[in-house]
Amino acid sequence: MKFNEPIAVTEIAAFIGATLEGDEKLMATGINEIHKVEPGDISFVDFEKYYDACLRSAATIIIINKKVTCPPGKVLLITDDPFSAYVKLVKRFRPFQPSTSPISDTAVIGEGTIIQPNVFIGNNVTIGTNCIIHPNVTIYDNSIIGNNVIIHAGSVIGADAFYFKKRANREVMYDKLESCGRVIIEDDVEIGASCTIDKGVSGDTIIGRGTKFDNMIHIGHGTVIGRNCLFAGQVGVGGKAHIEDNVILWGQVGVSKDLTIGKGAIVLAQSGVPSSLEGGKTYFGSPVEDARTKMKELSWIKRIPEIWQKLGGN
Amino acid sequence: MKFNEPIAVTEIAAFIGATLEGDEKLMATGINEIHKVEPGDISFVDFEKYYDACLRSAATIIIINKKVTCPPGKVLLITDDPFSAYVKLVKRFRPFQPSTSPISDTAVIGEGTIIQPNVFIGNNVTIGTNCIIHPNVTIYDNSIIGNNVIIHAGSVIGADAFYFKKRANREVMYDKLESCGRVIIEDDVEIGASCTIDKGVSGDTIIGRGTKFDNMIHIGHGTVIGRNCLFAGQVGVGGKAHIEDNVILWGQVGVSKDLTIGKGAIVLAQSGVPSSLEGGKTYFGSPVEDARTKMKELSWIKRIPEIWQKLGGN
Amino acid sequence: MKFNEPIAVTEIAAFIGATLEGDEKLMATGINEIHKVEPGDISFVDFEKYYDACLRSAATIIIINKKVTCPPGKVLLITDDPFSAYVKLVKRFRPFQPSTSPISDTAVIGEGTIIQPNVFIGNNVTIGTNCIIHPNVTIYDNSIIGNNVIIHAGSVIGADAFYFKKRANREVMYDKLESCGRVIIEDDVEIGASCTIDKGVSGDTIIGRGTKFDNMIHIGHGTVIGRNCLFAGQVGVGGKAHIEDNVILWGQVGVSKDLTIGKGAIVLAQSGVPSSLEGGKTYFGSPVEDARTKMKELSWIKRIPEIWQKLGGN
C-alpha cells in the first residue's frame, strides 16, 4: 500500500511511540509485508530469525523489537510490539470507511458496464467497460476491475485477509493484522456465483486476464492467479499462492498458501496441494502426486489381499 | 430453449453468415445442445468425430464447419466457426436483459409466498404459492419455482453455465458458451443458505419435488436431480449429471459431470464420484467405491507393516 | 426455546389433540430437543428405543406415541404423531415473522457498530457495540451478536436447521422439523465472507469468544464452538457438534455431527472427522487419524511394489 504523499519517518516514529535509529531524514512512501516491500516502504519484524531477511530486504523503514545495527540508508523504529505498531499505521493511513450508500460516489464505472440491483460497490473502486456485475455482489473499497469482466451473484471481492497473530496468554488470543491491500481483476475474467476473493494484506490479490472461475471459489489474500486459468466449483486457494498461466483446477481442489503451481498444470478434482507443483503435468490425490503415480498406487492397494495370500496368510 | 415463434432457416443463415445446404423451407423452433435436441431445434457441431452423432440427432438445423451430405428433412448451415455462430444466435434470441428494479415487473409470484427484503427476482421468473424466499437471494431471469419452496438467504438460482471453448492461439483463450436454459425447482423443495444452482446451457436444470438441500450446495448447468433427495452441506455436482430419486449425498461430496447416480444410492461424506453409480448401494472414497469394499481396503492398508515383518523386512 | 410465559399442559394437550396422562396441573415453560431439555420443557419421542432416555430426561412434558407409565412429577401427552405435534407447537409459539424492511424495528444495535448497506437484520436481533456488519449479510430473527464482532459480506447467520423426518410411504418424503433455536456469536469473533451458521433446532448455536473464521465456513444447527478457535476456508461442521477451545481446523476440513473435538486439537487440510477426537493432538486424513500415523501409512503404501518384488512377483 502506497501513501498519498511521503511521510517523515520522525512523524511515523512519534505516532507509534518508537525509538528512531538511523537516517532520520528519510521519508516513508508506503507500508508493506516483507515479501512485497519496495524502497521507501515501512515493514516490520518481530522474530529474531527473520531480522536478517527484513534488514536485507528493500524496506527502507523497519519496525523492530530490538536495537540492532541499522544498515546504511535505512532507519529502524524500535518498539516492544512491532505488530501492533504496524496495525496502528494501517488503521491511520487506510482507515475503514463506512459506506452510506450501496454504490459509493467515489466509484468509477466504465461505459457499457451493467450494475444489477442490490450490488454494493465501496469507496475508490474502479470498474472498466462492458462488465456485468450481477445482483447481491459485494465489492469492497479500493478494488480494481478491468474490462469485459463478469461477476455472478453473491460474490464478494476484497474482504479482509485471514491473518492473525497469536498472543499466548490473553483471553482474546488472536490479534488481527489489518489488511490494506487490494483485489485486482484483469480484463476478460469471469467470476462465478458466491465466490470470495480476499484483498492482500499489503499488496494485491490478482486474477489474471481471461481466467474463468466457476461458483464458490475461495481465493486467499495476496494470491496471484495467472492468465487463462480455469477453476471448477468449490476450489479453495490459500493466501500468497502463485498460480501461473493456463492452470486448471478441477472441483473442490484445495491449495495451500505460500506456494507456486507452474504453468499449465492440471490438478484433478478433490486433490489437496500442500506445496509447489511443477507446470505442465497432471496431479491427483490429497496430498497431491503425479496423477499416473497416484493411480498406480491405488491399483497396488487393491493387490494387498493377493500379497497376503501369497504369504500364506488367512 | 424455444423461440417465441418459428424462424425461417434462411433468416438464421443470413444472420450468422452461413451457406445453406438442404431444405431451405424449414423453420427453426429453438436452440439446443446435442444431448437435448428436439425436432425443429438448431444445434451445432465443430469436431468431425461428433458429425455423425449430430447429423443423426433429432436436430433439424445443424450448424457445421464442413460441407457434408445433408440428411433428408434437415438443413445444414455451413460456417467456419459454428460455436461463435451458435453464441450469436443465443445472444440474439435470448439477450441478457438488465434489470432496473430488484423485483422485475414481469415476475409472477403466487399467493401466500413471502419475499423477504433484499431479494433479487429477474425477468420472466415464476414463483408458486406458499414459498419463502429469504433475504439476499438472487433468482436470475426465466427461473421457475414451484409451490411450498423455501430458499434460504444468499442462494443464487440460475447463474450462467460454466462452459467455455478453448482457442489455443489467442491471448484470451476461452470463449464463453452463452447459456439460454433455465432452472426449474419443483414443489416442496428446500434450498439451504448460500447454494448456487446454475441454469442449463440450452435445457433446464431441475431440482425434483421434495428434495432438500443443506447450505453451500453447488449444482452445475443442466443437471437433473430427482425427487426426495437429501444433500448435506458443501456438496458439489457438475454439469449435466443425473441424480435419480431418493439419493443421499453427505457433506462435501463431489460429483463429476455427465454421469448418473442411481435411485436410492447413498454417498458418504467427502467422497468423489468420477463416473456413474448403480442405485441402492452405499459408497465411500475419492474416487468412490462400494463403502464396504473401501472400508476393507482401509483395513488392509493398516496391515502392510505386518506383511513387511512376515517377509523378514526391517 | 423458552415461552414468554408458562402455558398450562391442558392447553398444550388440547392444541395438539393429545390424551393427557400424569399431573395435569403442570405448566410448560419451553420446548426442547431431548439433548437440551430442562425442567419445565416439552420434548417429544416417537421411537420405543428412546422412550427410556426421554422419560428419564429433565423434560417435564413428554409428547409420546404410546401410553406408558408416567414418571412422578411429569406429564405425558399421548398422540399418534409426536413429531407433527412438536412442529405444530413450534409454529404456534415461534411462528415465522416476515420482515417488511431490511432492518427490523425490533433489532437492538449497540453504539459504535457499523451496519453497511444491503444488510438484512431480522426481528429481535441483538448486536453489541463496535461491530462491523459488511454488505449483503443476512441475520435471521432472534440472533445475538456480541461486541467487537466482524461479519464479512454475504454471510448468513441463523438459517434453519437441516433436520427432516423421513415418511417412507409418502410422495413428499421428508417432513421439516421447524427450528426455534438461535445463533449466539460471542465477543471478538470474526466471521469471514459467505459463511453460513445455522440456528439450533431448539437450543443455541454458539461461536465462542475470540474465534476467527475464514471464508465459506458452514456450521450446522446447535453446534457449539469454543473460544479462540481458527477455522480456515471452506470448513464444514455438522449439527450438534462440540468444538472445544483453541481448536484449529485447516481448509476444507469436514466434521460430522454429534461429536466432540477436544481442546487444542489441530486438524490438517481436507481431513474428514467422523467421530470424536481427543484434544491436544494433530490429525490428518479422511477418515481422520493421528497425523503421524497417517503419514507413516502413506509411506507404507509407497512400499507395496517393493514388497511385491520381494515376493518374487512381477
Side-chain angles (χ1 to χ4, degrees), chain A residues 304-314, chain B residues 300 303 306-307:
Chain A
I304 304 175
E306 185 188 344
I307 290 173
W308 182 250
Q309 277 201 322
K310 213 163 174 159
L311 273 165
N314 49 35
Chain B
W300 275 114
R303 296 182 70 178
E306 185 188 344
I307 290 173

Side-chain angles (χ1 to χ4, degrees), chain C residues 4-314:
Chain C
N4 294 332
E5 48 184 36
I7 297 157
V9 292
T10 48
E11 188 186 331
I12 302 283
F15 179 66
I16 63 172
T19 304
L20 194 151
E21 187 78 25
D23 185 351
E24 64 182 36
K25 298 270 170 47
L26 290 170
M27 304 294 280
T29 55
I31 303 180
N32 255 322
E33 289 168 285
I34 179 72
H35 76 292
K36 282 281 174 187
V37 282
E38 299 170 12
D41 278 349
I42 303 169
S43 198
F44 81 96
V45 64
D46 51 7
F47 282 110
E48 288 219 25
K49 68 171 174 175
Y50 299 128
Y51 279 5
D52 258 24
C54 195
L55 292 167
R56 283 190 279 103
S57 78
T60 302
I61 302 106
I62 294 154
I63 310 176
I64 193 168
N65 52 348
K66 192 180 168 185
K67 190 178 162 177
V68 295
T69 307
C70 183
K74 303 208 173 195
V75 65
L76 306 181
L77 302 179
I78 302 156
T79 175
D80 283 353
D81 187 350
F83 180 91
S84 296
Y86 179 92
V87 167
K88 199 174 172 188
L89 285 173
V90 172
K91 283 185 167 175
R92 172 158 173 190
F93 293 104
R94 188 153 291 176
F96 176 67
Q97 298 181 283
S99 287
T100 50
S101 69
I103 299 185
S104 167
D105 292 345
T106 59
V108 177
I109 296 168
E111 211 179 300
T113 284
I114 296 163
I115 311 289
Q116 289 282 76
N118 297 358
V119 166
F120 171 84
I121 298 177
N123 302 295
N124 307 312
V125 167
T126 302
I127 302 179
T129 57
N130 300 316
C131 298
I132 306 178
I133 313 297
H134 283 280
N136 289 311
V137 164
T138 298
I139 303 177
Y140 279 65
D141 295 3
N142 307 307
S143 301
I144 297 176
I145 317 278
N147 303 317
N148 314 314
V149 170
I150 300 171
I151 303 179
H152 281 284
S155 281
V156 177
I157 311 300
D160 293 353
F162 186 68
Y163 195 130
F164 297 91
K165 185 177 179 67
K166 191 173 179 178
R167 307 287 196 173
N169 297 308
R170 285 203 332 219
E171 205 173 349
V172 176
M173 198 179 273
Y174 292 101
D175 267 8
K176 176 174 181 163
L177 185 56
E178 296 289 334
S179 35
C180 56
R182 302 177 298 185
V183 172
I184 298 177
I185 297 178
E186 296 184 354
D187 295 352
D188 305 298
V189 166
E190 181 156 352
I191 306 290
S194 293
C195 292
T196 63
I197 302 173
D198 284 352
K199 63 162 71 85
V201 162
S202 63
D204 298 324
T205 305
I206 301 173
I207 313 299
R209 186 171 181 200
T211 283
K212 311 291 184 184
F213 283 3
D214 199 348
N215 300 339
M216 296 192 197
I217 310 287
H218 159 64
I219 306 293
H221 59 88
T223 282
V224 175
I225 314 269
R227 294 182 172 202
N228 296 311
C229 292
L230 281 187
F231 290 8
Q234 300 180 318
V235 159
V237 181
K240 292 187 291 182
H242 184 199
I243 315 290
E244 295 183 353
D245 295 350
N246 308 332
V247 167
I248 297 177
L249 305 182
W250 289 115
Q252 299 185 330
V253 162
V255 177
S256 197
K257 58 184 180 168
D258 298 322
L259 55 73
T260 298
I261 298 184
K263 187 172 175 174
I266 298 172
V267 184
L268 302 181
Q270 294 194 320
S271 296
V273 183
S275 53
S276 292
L277 297 180
E278 222 178 298
K281 293 183 176 168
T282 300
Y283 299 90
F284 180 56
S286 175
V288 92
E289 299 183 64
D290 173 87
R292 263 179 303 183
T293 306
K294 185 73 188 174
M295 292 309 179
K296 273 186 206 156
E297 203 176 287
L298 295 177
S299 308
W300 275 115
I301 289 172
K302 299 210 168 304
R303 298 182 70 177
I304 304 174
E306 183 187 346
I307 290 174
W308 181 251
Q309 277 202 321
K310 213 164 174 155
L311 273 166
N314 51 33

Side-chain angles (χ1 to χ4, degrees), chain A residues 283-303:
Chain A
Y283 300 90
F284 181 55
S286 175
V288 93
E289 299 183 63
D290 173 87
R292 264 181 302 186
T293 306
K294 185 72 189 173
M295 292 307 178
K296 272 186 206 154
E297 201 176 288
L298 295 177
S299 309
W300 275 114
I301 289 172
K302 299 208 169 307
R303 296 182 72 177

Side-chain angles (χ1 to χ4, degrees), chain A residues 237-272:
Chain A
V237 181
K240 292 187 289 180
H242 183 199
I243 316 288
E244 294 183 354
D245 296 349
N246 308 331
V247 167
I248 297 177
L249 305 181
W250 289 113
Q252 299 184 332
V253 162
V255 177
S256 198
K257 56 184 181 168
D258 298 320
L259 55 72
T260 298
I261 298 185
K263 188 173 175 174
I266 298 172
V267 184
L268 302 181
Q270 294 194 320
S271 295

